[in-house]
């Protein structure tokens, strides 16, 4: 965190990534990074609103990070991002997804159908579950964390426990 030009290190235990993906084209329409393990309905409304917000690339200052040729979200290349329409929005049964404000926004503002699927039956949300699997496989944990469980061989070293490695939020995004 930066306050008055001075960086202060803060540990973040969990992050949540909301990603809106078009099933027909396999295209990512919008994303929102939440700095908490328990996102709220405001986070869901934010990512749904990002669908119709013109995307602009982040200023990448971390060495080794760059966008690939032509990388962007559809809202950056369309004349009007409002032309992006959704037929059906599929979500899991997380409590923040069940809020009335989410239902009202999807049904009344996006003119879409909202589908939660059956609890404990992820078959109807195959793309969602596939995305979760990919993220879990490629970005499971940074090596400086405690790992998946207390006996994990990649648990935090004593040096890292005293002085944690630093990753800026800009580099993370």
């Amino acid at each position: 965190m930066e306050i008055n030009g001075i960086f202060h290190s803060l540990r973040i235990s969990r992050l949540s990534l909301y990603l809106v993906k078009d099933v027909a084209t396999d295209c990512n329409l919008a994303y929102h990074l939440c700095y908490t393990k328990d996102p709220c309905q405001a986070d869901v409304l934010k990512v749904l609103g990002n669908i119709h917000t013109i995307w602009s690339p982040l200023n990448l200052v971390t060495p080794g990070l760059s966008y690939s040729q032509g990388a962007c979200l559809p809202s950056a290349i369309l004349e009007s991002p409002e032309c992006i329409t959704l037929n059906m929005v599929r979500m899991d049964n997380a409590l923040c997804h069940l809020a009335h404000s989410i239902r009202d926004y999807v049904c009344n503002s996006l003119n879409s159908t909202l589908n939660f699927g059956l609890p404990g039956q992820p078959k109807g949300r195959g793309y969602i579950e596939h995305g979760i699997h990919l993220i879990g496989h490629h970005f499971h944990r940074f090596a400086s964390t405690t790992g998946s469980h207390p006996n994990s061989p990649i648990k935090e070293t004593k040096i890292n426990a005293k002085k944690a490695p630093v990753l800026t939020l800009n580099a993370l995004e």
Side-chain angles (χ1 to χ4, degrees):
M1 175 173 20
E2 182 181 357
I3 301 174
N4 296 329
I6 300 171
F7 286 98
H8 300 277
S9 297
L10 297 174
R11 284 185 177 238
I12 298 176
S13 62
R14 293 279 175 117
L15 297 170
S16 298
L17 173 68
Y18 270 101
L19 181 66
V20 178
K21 187 174 211 65
D22 181 44
V23 175
T25 62
D26 200 34
C27 181
N28 296 329
L29 299 176
Y31 66 92
H32 176 63
L33 188 61
C34 312
Y35 302 111
T36 178
K37 71 175 185 172
D38 298 315
C40 64
Q41 60 184 328
D43 294 317
V44 179
L45 291 172
K46 173 73 173 160
V47 73
L48 292 173
N50 285 349
I51 296 169
H52 297 116
T53 302
I54 297 175
W55 179 83
S56 60
L58 297 172
N59 183 18
L60 301 178
V61 295
T62 304
L65 288 181
S66 64
Y67 288 106
S68 59
Q69 181 80 20
C72 69
L73 293 178
S75 63
I77 57 175
L78 297 173
E79 291 181 18
S80 174
E82 288 79 26
C83 69
I84 298 173
T85 59
L86 305 175
N87 183 24
M88 181 182 296
V89 175
R90 291 182 185 255
M91 295 184 189
D92 63 13
N93 288 284
L95 287 177
C96 63
H97 299 162
L98 301 175
H100 292 293
S101 61
I102 304 300
R103 185 190 65 217
D104 291 343
Y105 185 80
V106 170
C107 296
N108 299 330
S109 297
L110 297 178
N111 297 318
S112 302
T113 303
L114 186 58
N115 184 329
F116 295 110
L118 297 172
Q121 302 290 325
K123 293 179 182 177
R125 300 182 312 272
Y127 279 96
I128 296 170
E129 300 301 326
H130 178 68
I132 291 169
H133 173 73
L134 286 176
I135 291 171
H137 178 72
H138 293 292
F139 304 106
H140 181 63
R141 299 272 180 150
F142 287 112
S144 64
T145 68
T146 59
S148 299
H149 52 81
N151 297 327
S152 175
I154 63 167
K155 68 181 182 180
E156 189 171 43
T157 64
K158 291 180 181 178
I159 294 172
N160 287 346
K162 292 179 182 175
K163 185 177 180 187
V166 176
L167 176 68
T168 64
L169 292 177
N170 288 341
L172 179 65
E173 288 181 4

